[in-house]
Amino acid sequence: MLSGKQIVLGVSGGIAVYKAVELVRLLTKAGADVHVIMTRSAMEFVTPLTFQTLTSNPVHTELFNLIAEREIGHIALADRADLFIVAPATANVIGKIAGGIADDMLTTTIMATKAPVLIAPAMNVNMYTNSLYRENEEKLRCHGYLFVAPAKGMLACGWEGEGKLQAPEVILEEAICALTHRDLTGERFLVTAGPTLEEIDPVRYVSNHSSGKMGYAIARAARRRGAEVVLVAGPTCLDDPWGIETVRVTSALEMRDAVLARVPGSTVIVKAAAVADYRPKARATGKIKKSTEAMTIDLERNPDILSEIGTVKGDRTLVGFAAETGELVENARKKLTGKNVDLLVANDISLEGAGFHGDTNIAKLLHRDGRIEDLPLMGKERMANIILDRIVDLRKRGMRGEE
Ligand code: PMT
């Protein structure tokens, strides 16, 4: 995700410095080469050795270090950075940056960088809501600095409210966003993911093996590329993705209502959910007791949500999926034309590494002009981005009025 990226992490002094250690671990795990700058007060909480060990790079603490440096340290770091993160960022450091003060290694390097700067504040709630702080943040936002708003909760100082440094996973996600080309800005995505669950009684249900991973990967990638995203998800074990409005549903009927209500507000709809085609005709209110007899459950058809959207889609881009175990192209082609979709992602779920649950998939992309693209075994994240590349093409062609 971040391989080949040079990230400079500025760490200023606050109890949340321990979370910066975890952030460094996540950044390096994602492939980034991380260079840490610590302020003097940050070193009161954690030693430079911790960051040096995790990054395998020297930690910068002094503006003038003539013995160790053959190059002008702050300029070299400022030029090298693809992204500058300040986490935790104290009110003092943010005030200094906003005031154009460059009096230590951290603030001087920020002043000299042309890289995007992502600031993750951490402070007492009264400091965070102080009008002077608010002015500083507003000023920096106007100058293009990016912020990860702090979380609410119990603060180290004993107060409760906004001011907790955001979770390292959230700062990582915002760092990835800051480094991603935003070719979907202005688009409003509606993505479905996961299975639906059709209850037989309060204990049993009919469902399928979808984990939601494919749909979540599409939703996350679309947000990183600048789209506004709403995710309608069936029951999955996955956490709601950061920055994405996630609507949780259980049954196909609930999914249908949630999706159809949001079609008018969307420009692109991606239906990766595995919707149960049938539901029990009647749901027993109490647990059905077992007997020695065989049992038959009457099922009735669920509405086909994708087909319904196909009839009202207008100039929206509609992407469907097909999960098949044989005659992949023939079955998928029927869905492409029968459900009026613009692009169909067909996966043969009987193949090793494709389909439900895993982190990888294998698919064929069926286009309306008859083209078929083979997507070999790859991570769902990578496949999501290829699907989004095709959506970008379709949107551009739509804007030019091409078929
Ligand atoms: O969630 P994962 O574990 O990552 O696995 C998801 C997946 C990798 C298998 C995914 O890529 C996939 O194929 N999802 C759709 C599976 C599916 O339901 O296929 P289908 O052939 O039954 O349905 C075809 C299309 O119609 C799908 O876009 C589906 O969302 C839609 N549909 C189906 C039935 C129905 N009643 N309403 C629908 O909208």
Side-chain angles (χ1 to χ4, degrees):
M1 261 179 308
L2 293 176
S3 77
K5 298 294 180 197
Q6 300 278 330
I7 294 183
V8 177
L9 174 65
V11 181
S12 60
I15 185 64
V17 172
Y18 77 94
K19 288 194 196 167
V21 175
E22 175 63 6
L23 177 61
V24 165
R25 211 187 55 77
L26 294 177
L27 291 168
T28 49
K29 201 169 151 212
D33 188 16
V34 183
H35 303 267
V36 174
I37 303 174
M38 296 181 81
T39 62
R40 211 160 279 163
S41 37
M43 290 188 285
E44 299 288 333
F45 294 89
V46 171
T47 65
L49 186 61
T50 308
F51 289 109
Q52 188 153 313
T53 310
L54 287 172
T55 62
S56 307
N57 285 318
V59 171
H60 305 263
T61 54
E62 297 297 331
L63 187 52
F64 303 108
N65 194 344
L66 299 180
I67 295 166
E69 311 241 9
R70 275 180 291 131
E71 50 188 2
I72 303 174
H74 62 280
I75 302 295
L77 269 183
D79 290 349
R80 177 183 290 163
D82 293 302
L83 176 68
F84 209 119
I85 303 174
V86 190
T90 57
N92 176 50
V93 158
I94 292 168
K96 283 208 275 185
I97 304 169
I101 295 169
D103 66 351
D104 60 7
M105 184 66 180
L106 175 54
T107 48
T108 310
T109 314
I110 287 185
M111 182 73 102
T113 194
K114 291 214 175 290
V117 179
L118 178 64
I119 297 175
M123 62 194 75
N124 164 273
V125 59
N126 295 331
M127 292 166 83
Y128 186 65
T129 50
N130 185 302
S131 58
L132 288 173
Y133 171 78
R134 301 253 45 93
E135 269 176 33
N136 287 338
E137 181 175 323
E138 199 44 46
K139 181 175 174 188
L140 287 172
R141 281 182 187 277
C142 289
H143 283 274
Y145 288 77
L146 305 166
F147 278 80
V148 192
K152 273 189 191 154
M154 185 58 92
L155 304 172
C157 54
W159 280 78
E160 201 167 345
E162 258 180 316
K164 264 169 98 79
L165 181 69
Q166 260 304 350
E169 293 76 13
V170 171
I171 301 173
L172 172 71
E173 183 60 31
E174 290 299 314
I176 295 169
C177 279
L179 286 165
T180 305
H181 176 54
R182 297 171 87 75
D183 55 357
L184 286 171
T185 302
E187 300 291 1
R188 295 185 304 279
F189 269 63
L190 175 56
V191 180
T192 69
T196 66
L197 188 154
E198 316 295 326
E199 288 199 343
I200 298 167
D201 68 12
V203 179
R204 293 112 175 171
Y205 57 82
V206 177
S207 188
N208 58 63
H209 291 298
S210 173
S211 63
K213 285 183 181 173
M214 190 69 241
Y216 276 59
I218 292 169
R220 253 196 322 268
R223 176 180 182 265
R224 288 173 183 171
R225 291 169 67 156
E228 268 176 53
V229 183
V230 177
L231 175 66
V232 178
T236 73
C237 300
L238 306 174
D239 291 336
D240 291 357
W242 171 255
I244 292 176
E245 182 193 339
T246 304
V247 183
R248 292 280 180 173
V249 297
T250 302
S251 66
L253 291 178
E254 284 172 23
M255 183 171 277
R256 175 182 179 269
D257 289 347
V259 168
L260 292 184
R262 289 166 177 83
V263 167
S266 62
T267 57
V268 178
I269 302 154
V270 183
K271 290 276 294 91
V275 184
D277 287 311
Y278 293 91
R279 65 176 182 274
K281 223 170 183 170
R283 177 192 181 276
T285 48
K287 181 181 174 188
I288 301 170
K289 289 288 166 202
K290 62 175 173 282
S291 72
T292 52
E293 301 296 308
M295 186 178 158
T296 305
I297 299 167
D298 276 338
L299 300 176
E300 63 187 352
R301 276 299 306 261
N302 267 327
D304 192 308
I305 309 168
L306 183 58
S307 296
E308 285 189 51
I309 302 168
T311 61
V312 296
K313 78 180 197 68
D315 58 7
R316 292 174 192 86
T317 300
L318 180 57
V319 178
F321 274 74
E324 305 291 345
T325 51
E327 291 166 357
L328 181 66
V329 172
E330 295 71 19
N331 287 328
R333 216 189 290 279
K334 279 185 207 149
K335 286 173 185 167
L336 176 77
T337 48
K339 301 191 184 200
N340 192 27
V341 304
D342 299 294
L343 180 70
L344 197 110
V345 186
N347 11 230
D348 180 344
I349 56 167
S350 62
L351 296 176
E352 183 75 33
F356 296 128
H357 268 296
D359 291 323
T360 59
N361 204 0
I362 304 168
K364 288 186 189 297
L365 296 187
L366 277 73
H367 296 260
R368 284 197 76 94
D369 58 11
R371 274 179 304 132
I372 298 180
E373 277 183 83
D374 270 315
L375 302 186
L377 180 72
M378 63 179 79
K380 285 181 176 171
E381 194 102 30
R382 170 137 185 259
M383 189 171 285
N385 274 303
I386 295 176
I387 295 166
L388 294 180
D389 290 344
R390 302 301 172 268
I391 292 173
V392 169
D393 289 346
L394 284 167
R395 300 298 294 160
K396 280 187 189 149
R397 281 165 51 189
M399 277 167 208
R400 289 198 299 263
E402 293 169 26
E403 262 294 287

